[in-house]
Amino acid sequence: MKFTPYEYQRKAKDWIIEHPKSGLFLPMGMGKTSITLTALNDLMYDRFEVRKVLIIAPIRVAQATWPDGIGKWDHTRHMTFSRILGSRSQRTRAIRQEADIYLINRENVPWLVDFWKSNWPYDMVVVDELSNFKNPQAKRFKALKTVMPLVDRFVGLTGTPAPKGLPDLWPQLYLMDQGKRLGRTLGAFRSTYLIPGRKNGFVVYDWVLQEGAKRRIYDAIEDICMSLKAEDWLKLPDCQYITQEVILSAQTMHQYKRFKREKILEICEDGVITASNAGVVTNKLLQFTAGAVYDEKHEVQQLHDTKLDVLEDLVEAANGNPVMVFYYFKHDEDRIRARFKGLNIRAIENQQDVQDWNAGKIDMLLVHPASVGHGLNLQEGGNTIIWYTLPNWNLELYLQANARLHRQGQKHTVMIYHLIAKGTVDEDMMRSLMEKDISQKALIEALKK
């Protein structure tokens, strides 16, 4: 297939070529794979500036999305690739294979760095979904940072550079410039731009921006990071976000509030659920609003069917059109399947499931957001998303999941429903996701070229 780039894709490709170390912040569905492959082809076969490229990506994306992209376009079909995936012996064989591009999942980065040590052979590194390296304590970040001085070119790709706020940026920028812009250490970054937020003595639970720090961070990184907004360049379908209020019974709400206050939930005569800390309480409360809770033995204790009833109303209102339902806990999946036995319900386990969904052969696609976060095009199969359970404060999972339907190629208005139990943690979580999204959109807007 001939690749005819949009104007923004040409700009993004030129940005990669003109900036040896850079970040490219592209929303989902704007073709970052084709943009990057076009730049790699130019750098390898027209300019002869790059010999071997390592692409680090989520495992599903490394396994299928990048190889599919290479084989899809006329101008990249000649490029060879090797997937450093699977068992240790399979990965070792893949490393030894001659190729232009080497693909590896992010979890195996420490192993790869240890394998090569100072003999690192890749002169260019591409990190697909750079925000997966936002934790400076993670092994993958610590390993990759040690070989960055040996790399001539680096590009970080992500649509969610700051899923929890601007403090997430330091590790990602460090991989680009080894600390030249935001500080050579995490401590230097914090002392320059942040102040402690919630803390207990010397233990700091989170960091917040100093006054004026947001603008100073934008100014510091604008020469190395480029952002593009889909709505500025593409005619995307409309998207409606709808809160579907769930009213729990007075008895259920009394039980909910008591558990929140006392951290003890009595299920039956010999069934008691306890929560040891605030994090566990929040997790249990999220399960509670969905209708069931794991007890001390990890057995499912059912509490109510209120959300299932509301979900059934929405499915009925869809009039036979396919719906994509996101859940967070395994018992959510089991209970939804039990309620809708008459429908053709599937999860995505292989490429055939993707094809069947896009062909309209599936009534309900039941999905955990972490399983479809990156690289899957599902926009042809439907336009209705229902969040049965929100993704536990995770903005990145939330945005990536919604983008499976709200992306280029979708022909209908995308309807995104959120089942929110009134007066519960659901409301807090929805509010938090929206606030984080506003902060991230401000970053993207500030770095637009």
Side-chain angles (χ1 to χ4, degrees), residues 203-259:
V203 178
V204 178
Y205 296 115
D206 57 22
W207 295 82
V208 298
L209 294 171
Q210 297 177 12
E211 185 176 353
K214 183 183 296 185
R215 183 71 260 169
R216 288 190 289 124
I217 290 175
Y218 294 163
D219 292 343
I221 68 175
E222 66 177 359
D223 69 315
I224 199 172
C225 296
M226 177 185 186
S227 74
L228 296 169
K229 292 177 67 178
E231 53 266 37
D232 291 340
W233 299 94
L234 299 173
K235 183 170 176 53
L236 290 176
D238 291 334
C239 184
Q240 294 189 22
Y241 296 85
I242 303 163
T243 295
Q244 194 72 29
E245 197 168 68
V246 176
I247 307 297
L248 301 180
S249 70
Q251 180 181 352
T252 303
M253 280 302 299
H254 175 74
Q255 196 177 23
Y256 174 91
K257 291 177 180 178
R258 182 178 178 182
F259 178 56

Side-chain angles (χ1 to χ4, degrees), residues 86-129:
S87 66
R88 180 184 293 268
S89 60
Q90 289 172 323
R91 298 196 302 268
T92 303
R93 284 197 300 272
I95 285 174
R96 300 300 188 190
Q97 182 179 326
E98 272 303 316
D100 297 321
I101 296 172
Y102 295 80
L103 297 153
I104 191 169
N105 58 311
R106 59 206 179 200
E107 291 81 7
N108 276 322
V109 168
W111 174 84
L112 184 69
V113 171
D114 183 65
F115 181 92
W116 286 115
K117 296 184 172 62
S118 60
N119 296 316
W120 186 258
Y122 313 105
D123 47 354
M124 182 169 182
V125 173
V126 176
V127 178
D128 190 355
E129 297 308 332

Side-chain angles (χ1 to χ4, degrees), residues 183-194:
R184 296 189 182 278
T185 65
L186 179 59
F189 170 67
R190 287 172 172 170
S191 65
T192 304
Y193 298 103
L194 309 178

Side-chain angles (χ1 to χ4, degrees), residues 125-306:
V125 173
V126 176
V127 178
D128 190 355
E129 297 308 332
L130 179 63
S131 57
N132 288 319
F133 284 78
K134 65 181 179 291
N135 181 1
Q137 303 305 320
K139 292 180 180 179
R140 69 184 72 158
F141 171 77
K142 291 180 178 180
L144 191 57
K145 69 179 284 195
T146 64
V147 295
M148 281 299 97
L150 306 176
V151 174
D152 297 328
R153 283 184 167 271
F154 175 91
V155 58
L157 306 170
T158 184
T160 53
K164 294 184 179 179
L166 293 182
D168 283 346
L169 285 177
W170 180 80
Q172 300 172 71
L173 264 291
Y174 187 93
L175 294 178
M176 297 178 206
D177 68 359
Q178 284 72 69
K180 293 179 183 176
R181 287 164 180 80
L182 294 185
R184 296 189 182 278
T185 65
L186 179 59
F189 170 67
R190 287 172 172 170
S191 65
T192 304
Y193 298 103
L194 309 178
I195 56 175
R198 295 179 300 116
K199 63 178 183 177
N200 182 6
F202 294 106
V203 178
V204 178
Y205 296 115
D206 57 22
W207 295 82
V208 298
L209 294 171
Q210 297 177 12
E211 185 176 353
K214 183 183 296 185
R215 183 71 260 169
R216 288 190 289 124
I217 290 175
Y218 294 163
D219 292 343
I221 68 175
E222 66 177 359
D223 69 315
I224 199 172
C225 296
M226 177 185 186
S227 74
L228 296 169
K229 292 177 67 178
E231 53 266 37
D232 291 340
W233 299 94
L234 299 173
K235 183 170 176 53
L236 290 176
D238 291 334
C239 184
Q240 294 189 22
Y241 296 85
I242 303 163
T243 295
Q244 194 72 29
E245 197 168 68
V246 176
I247 307 297
L248 301 180
S249 70
Q251 180 181 352
T252 303
M253 280 302 299
H254 175 74
Q255 196 177 23
Y256 174 91
K257 291 177 180 178
R258 182 178 178 182
F259 178 56
K260 183 179 179 181
R261 182 178 62 252
E262 300 178 4
K263 301 182 179 59
I264 297 177
L265 179 63
E266 296 181 8
I267 303 298
C268 53
E269 286 188 14
D270 57 351
V272 176
I273 295 173
T274 60
S276 57
N277 56 56
V280 175
V281 170
T282 300
N283 187 279
K284 294 295 185 185
L285 291 176
L286 190 60
Q287 294 177 45
F288 192 113
T289 66
V293 181
Y294 289 116
D295 63 17
E296 309 297 322
K297 300 177 182 178
H298 207 69
E299 295 177 353
V300 178
Q301 300 293 341
Q302 304 216 29
L303 302 174
H304 63 84
D305 290 336
T306 313

